[in-house]
Amino acid sequence: MLSTTHRTRLNRAKERGLTDRTDLYSVLDAGMVCHLGVIIDDGPVVIPTGYGRIEDTLYLHGSSGARSLRTGGQVCVTVTHLDGVVLARSVFNHSMNYRSAMIYGEARRVEDPAERLAGLRAITDQLAPGQWEATRQPNARELAATLVLAVPLAEASVKVRTGAPLDEEEDYALAVWAGVLPRTEIWGPLQPDPRLEDGIPVPEHLRARQ
Amino acid sequence: MLSTTHRTRLNRAKERGLTDRTDLYSVLDAGMVCHLGVIIDDGPVVIPTGYGRIEDTLYLHGSSGARSLRTGGQVCVTVTHLDGVVLARSVFNHSMNYRSAMIYGEARRVEDPAERLAGLRAITDQLAPGQWEATRQPNARELAATLVLAVPLAEASVKVRTGAPLDEEEDYALAVWAGVLPRTEIWGPLQPDPRLEDGIPVPEHLRARQ
């Protein structure tokens, strides 16, 4: 179960809140981009970036010079999937079907070399599974240029909306079409690098994904 | 042109920065969900939510009770489109093709009734064009329950990455497949509300979209 704190207790749309840890994992594991919120110069900054998960730790990375990550500190990481537009009989009851997770925590700068490598591997596996083994591993210079942050999956909320619109009872009599327009993300066909040498086959893990 | 401030000046990957106002508009106009960053109790909070644009103003809405929006104040609004996974010859040079916009500003609580309606209409049009005219308009109770915020599109940065991986020159000799796995969002077939009355046709603006 996810613990409830004053930040993760849902004040709005409580019926959309899920509290199983597996719900959190499934929202995170289905995504590729998170939105990382940090405070810089007393103002909020929201950065789109990749991430990876190992059990109850979320890993993020960036350039070791990035001012947004250098300081660590309090962060909020949000992952959102838009699953459809909910077309109601009134403007007010229009909505989205979605799955989202919000994680609050202190970002820890990872220094241990083995944990840094494991974190980077998790981030690569999230975006491009199979590629860690298939491509050249990070060298010392690249590792030095990379900052790895860890956020514990300790304080989190998960919200999911599915299904048909919820209209005001009297609006169901209106002659207005209502329902859901589903939204999905799909992969397109692989585009080879123009500099790809002849005779290098598409590896199976990429062929399977497109 | 977008003005450059200390927040919107890109420190990393400068070659991905775009400075035309039309680039900002096109990233915003292609999206449906933004990630709104605010500070609550001294910590960052990142909320996925809908939005709309009228010229140089971004509109957001929420419940008039939502603690995340009630206070107004400094916000950062980020809209991100993932266009593909960039598969490089080294782990380090893996990347994403994306379009993103980050807007910094003071959120103004909209009080003027005409601007409130216009803002709500822009938000509806962004998510579900044609539905404002086709469905029941907001009534006084619904309007009272809705907070509308305006953020000026004055301080913003736009970043876009497209195309093939950029590998280290010596890595091009590796026998590693490299290229791009494109990612697209598509609409699925409309799903009628189970409570939809017989004989209500799908309106043309929805039929055209699916």
Side-chain angles (χ1 to χ4, degrees), chain B residues 139-162:
Chain B
N139 61 32
R141 180 185 59 74
E142 292 167 342
L143 286 172
T146 306
L147 187 73
V148 181
L149 294 179
V151 182
L153 296 177
E155 188 180 352
S157 64
V158 179
K159 282 175 79 176
V160 173
R161 191 203 186 284
T162 59

Side-chain angles (χ1 to χ4, degrees), chain B residues 72-143:
Chain B
Q74 274 294 316
V75 301
C76 174
V77 181
T78 299
V79 173
T80 307
H81 307 281
L82 175 62
D83 294 326
V85 177
V86 179
L87 303 156
R89 293 161 181 85
S90 66
V91 163
F92 186 77
N93 284 318
H94 275 67
S95 187
M96 300 182 196
N97 282 338
Y98 64 91
R99 292 159 287 147
S100 74
M102 293 172 66
I103 298 142
Y104 300 91
E106 191 84 26
R108 170 175 60 88
R109 203 173 151 149
V110 180
E111 305 285 2
D112 175 69
E115 187 184 3
R116 277 168 53 80
L117 264 187
L120 291 172
R121 183 180 174 141
I123 295 166
T124 304
D125 285 348
Q126 183 83 19
L127 185 70
Q131 289 290 96
W132 184 273
E133 299 86 346
T135 66
R136 179 177 63 71
Q137 303 285 305
N139 61 32
R141 180 185 59 74
E142 292 167 342
L143 286 172

Side-chain angles (χ1 to χ4, degrees), chain A residues 153-165:
Chain A
L153 296 177
E155 189 181 351
S157 64
V158 180
K159 283 175 77 174
V160 173
R161 190 201 187 284
T162 58

Side-chain angles (χ1 to χ4, degrees), chain A residues 23-24 27-28 77-80 99-103 156-159:
Chain A
D23 296 319
L24 174 62
V27 171
L28 294 179
V77 181
T78 299
V79 173
T80 307
R99 293 158 287 147
S100 74
M102 292 171 67
I103 298 142
S157 64
V158 180
K159 283 175 77 174

Side-chain angles (χ1 to χ4, degrees), chain B residues 4-32:
Chain B
T4 299
T5 69
H6 71 285
R7 293 194 292 203
T8 59
R9 187 173 300 120
L10 299 177
N11 296 309
R12 318 238 67 79
K14 291 187 186 65
E15 72 285 3
R16 297 182 191 162
L18 301 180
T19 51
D20 263 15
R21 191 158 280 281
T22 51
D23 296 319
L24 174 63
Y25 295 164
S26 77
V27 171
L28 295 177
D29 295 355
M32 281 182 292

